[in-house]
Amino acid sequence: MSALTPNQVQTIKATVPVLAQHGTTITSRFYHDMLEAHPELKNIFNNTHQATGHQAQALAGALYAYANNIDDLGKLSPAVELICHKHASLYIRADQYAIVGKHLIETMKAVLGDAATPEILEAWGAAYWQLANIMIGREDQLYRETSYWPDWKDFTIVKKVKESDEITSFYLEPVDANLRLPNFKPGQYISVNVFVDELDGGMWQARQYSLSDAPGKKHLRLSIKKEPGIEIGEPKHMTHAGYISNLMHEKKNEGDVVKLSHPFGDFFLEEDDEKDAPVVLIAAGVGLTALTSIFNSLITEKSSRPITWIHGARNTKTRAFKQHYDQCATENENVHAVYYSSSPVEGEVQGQHYDIEGRVDLDKIDRSYLHTDNDKTRYYACGPLRFMLDVEAKLKSYGVPSERVKMELYGTGGVPRV
């Protein structure tokens, strides 16, 4: 489809206030109507995010951003790249874009009524396909790069290890012994696809989890947090955040088979020419998983780069892998680890079980460990949204430009850079 006409661009920009007011109403009805007409797509969309409205809110935000930047789409490139990787990890196909486009325009017409003039609907139809074709092209490129793994693959859980009260690691090996494991980029994720009997008579549900070890092993490792307060079998348990993580913890054991996607993701250790640039890894809670893959990769390749590991957890019971990081820091003089505990339990000793009491606050760290005086330092942060925005703001106050800070957010949408 050809580029938007100047009139169509102006029409799209004129709908920005409408999307601000009615965006979530449009997207909520869109998902309801589309999934009712195409129940097979329920296997793709996160049931929990549908029930909580997070998926509709994320799409509404994306539509608003698209309309607001329709004449400068370069600003949306990072968001498009993030979405394309997520789509690839779910094996979204080009023909499914037609279904989405049809229902999106129909829903706009139904919700906006007479305000949705033929001119507006035509402009949005053209705008949708402009963006869809960009994404289809990028996703096709990702599929061609991973053509040896074109669909879900069966993997056996060969080992299951409890790392903390909340986090358990799953070591997975391909059922097909001839399947070569990819040399993925440290920090990337895979999708785990499991069949859930209780959902609408049974459906597949996929969730993305960061790989938590370096590439080059005969297995893939996931370290999954079990969200509290969920009881499998409870009437509304399928709509709770963390339902699939609880299913993995409670129902999936060594010897069981799950389906995995190829690794994807736009958050990873940068391969740059600055081989001596310090790396600072800043994590909160289970956000340590993606960063552990980066950390272990640097350790495995015996990197001489200064490496600082910073992790915040409630206490020793919820912190995973501490012994591993400590051992690496002892054996490698270029590695330094700092631990925060927001709620130390009885018996924890400051200086032994943790270094600083409270949530992660970079002001409380010796600045030499942050390497802010080196304009080559790379920073990677992963954890809850508020945590990452606080980390970025603090680094910015130290004079660190945003292009040297990479962040990974779990859940729908991405990190809103400010």
Side-chain angles (χ1 to χ4, degrees):
M1 181 171 288
S2 60
L4 298 182
T5 67
N7 284 341
Q8 288 174 328
V9 169
Q10 291 306 312
T11 298
I12 295 297
K13 291 187 74 69
T15 63
V16 169
V18 176
L19 290 174
Q21 181 178 359
H22 300 290
T24 302
T25 301
I26 292 171
T27 54
S28 296
R29 179 164 176 175
F30 154 74
Y31 279 118
H32 175 273
D33 292 352
M34 182 181 68
L35 293 177
E36 189 172 77
H38 295 274
E40 72 277 7
L41 296 181
K42 292 180 180 179
N43 291 325
I44 294 175
F45 290 102
N46 184 315
N47 181 74
T48 299
H49 289 162
Q50 289 297 318
T52 60
H54 290 168
Q55 193 82 56
Q57 292 165 15
L59 178 57
L63 291 175
Y64 177 87
Y66 181 46
N68 204 35
N69 294 281
I70 194 68
D71 51 359
D72 188 9
L73 294 182
K75 292 181 179 179
L76 299 180
S77 294
V80 169
E81 182 71 2
L82 180 149
I83 293 170
C84 287
H85 277 269
K86 287 193 173 184
H87 282 182
S89 80
L90 296 170
Y91 296 105
I92 301 294
R93 302 303 180 187
D95 58 354
Q96 292 167 334
Y97 277 89
I99 297 172
V100 171
K102 171 180 178 293
H103 283 277
L104 183 60
I105 300 304
E106 288 180 354
T107 304
M108 282 186 172
K109 183 177 181 179
V111 172
L112 299 180
D114 293 340
T117 65
E119 180 186 28
I120 287 176
L121 294 178
E122 182 181 356
W124 264 104
Y128 171 80
W129 278 108
Q130 175 180 265
L131 181 59
N133 286 330
I134 292 172
M135 297 175 71
I136 289 170
R138 176 61 178 134
E139 288 158 23
D140 181 64
Q141 182 182 10
L142 292 173
Y143 291 140
R144 283 187 277 110
E145 291 171 356
T146 59
S147 59
Y148 69 97
W149 191 326
D151 208 334
W152 301 102
K153 296 291 186 180
D154 288 335
F155 275 68
T156 302
I157 301 172
V158 296
K159 187 164 65 170
K160 184 177 177 181
V161 179
K162 186 172 183 179
E163 310 288 3
S164 73
D165 282 2
E166 297 178 339
I167 297 173
T168 292
S169 288
F170 296 81
Y171 292 73
L172 300 135
E173 294 183 3
V175 171
D176 179 0
N178 295 318
L179 178 66
R180 63 181 176 90
L181 294 186
N183 190 33
F184 60 88
K185 297 177 180 178
Q188 291 188 308
Y189 56 77
I190 56 176
S191 288
V192 177
N193 203 13
V194 296
F195 192 77
V196 183
D197 295 312
E198 301 95 331
L199 287 176
D200 289 351
M203 73 171 64
W204 291 94
Q205 284 284 281
R207 298 292 186 273
Q208 280 120 5
Y209 297 110
S210 295
L211 292 155
S212 64
D213 206 351
K217 309 290 179 68
K218 68 175 184 178
H219 60 262
L220 298 176
R221 187 178 78 175
L222 304 176
S223 300
I224 300 174
K225 177 186 176 184
K226 178 183 179 182
E227 297 294 338
I230 302 176
E231 183 178 345
I232 300 296
E234 179 234 340
K236 293 187 177 180
H237 66 279
M238 283 88 73
T239 64
H240 282 290
Y243 166 64
I244 298 298
S245 69
N246 275 259
L247 188 150
M248 290 293 293
H249 275 252
E250 296 182 17
K251 300 294 185 180
K252 298 299 180 182
N253 298 301
E254 293 178 2
D256 289 343
V257 174
V258 295
K259 293 183 179 296
L260 301 186
S261 72
H262 189 281
F264 289 102
D266 64 335
F267 177 86
F268 49 80
L269 178 66
E270 296 284 2
E271 296 181 6
D272 53 41
D273 296 329
E274 307 293 349
K275 298 300 183 183
D276 59 341
V279 176
V280 179
L281 306 171
I282 310 169
V286 73
L288 60 75
T289 54
L291 300 189
T292 298
S293 178
I294 294 175
F295 180 89
N296 285 359
S297 297
L298 293 169
I299 296 298
T300 299
E301 66 185 35
K302 301 187 184 304
S303 173
S304 60
R305 303 169 70 167
I307 303 167
T308 299
W309 173 263
I310 300 169
H311 183 238
R314 292 198 303 278
N315 49 56
T316 301
K317 292 183 178 181
T318 61
R319 192 187 311 279
F321 302 124
K322 183 176 185 296
Q323 184 177 356
H324 169 66
Y325 307 129
D326 286 344
Q327 182 178 346
C328 290
T330 299
E331 296 175 352
N332 300 272
E333 61 181 15
N334 61 311
V335 177
H336 186 82
V338 179
Y339 305 101
Y340 288 80
S341 284
S342 60
S343 302
V345 295
E346 184 178 354
E348 286 191 60
V349 178
Q350 189 168 6
Q352 178 182 348
H353 299 100
Y354 66 96
D355 299 297
I356 302 170
E357 184 170 350
R359 297 182 182 276
V360 173
D361 181 350
L362 300 184
D363 282 338
K364 295 182 178 180
I365 296 179
D366 186 325
R367 287 283 288 277
S368 66
Y369 296 134
L370 295 176
H371 303 284
T372 53
D373 58 343
N374 188 324
D375 61 9
K376 297 179 181 179
T377 305
R378 302 293 189 261
Y379 300 87
Y380 298 84
C382 189
L385 174 58
R386 186 70 262 162
F387 159 79
M388 287 193 296
L389 294 180
D390 287 346
V391 165
E392 183 183 41
K394 183 65 65 176
L395 290 173
K396 185 177 180 180
S397 74
Y398 296 157
V400 177
S402 60
E403 57 265 25
R404 288 200 279 119
V405 182
K406 293 197 70 173
M407 301 188 290
E408 169 80 324
L409 175 70
Y410 294 135
T412 55
V415 182
R417 303 303 289 260
V418 293

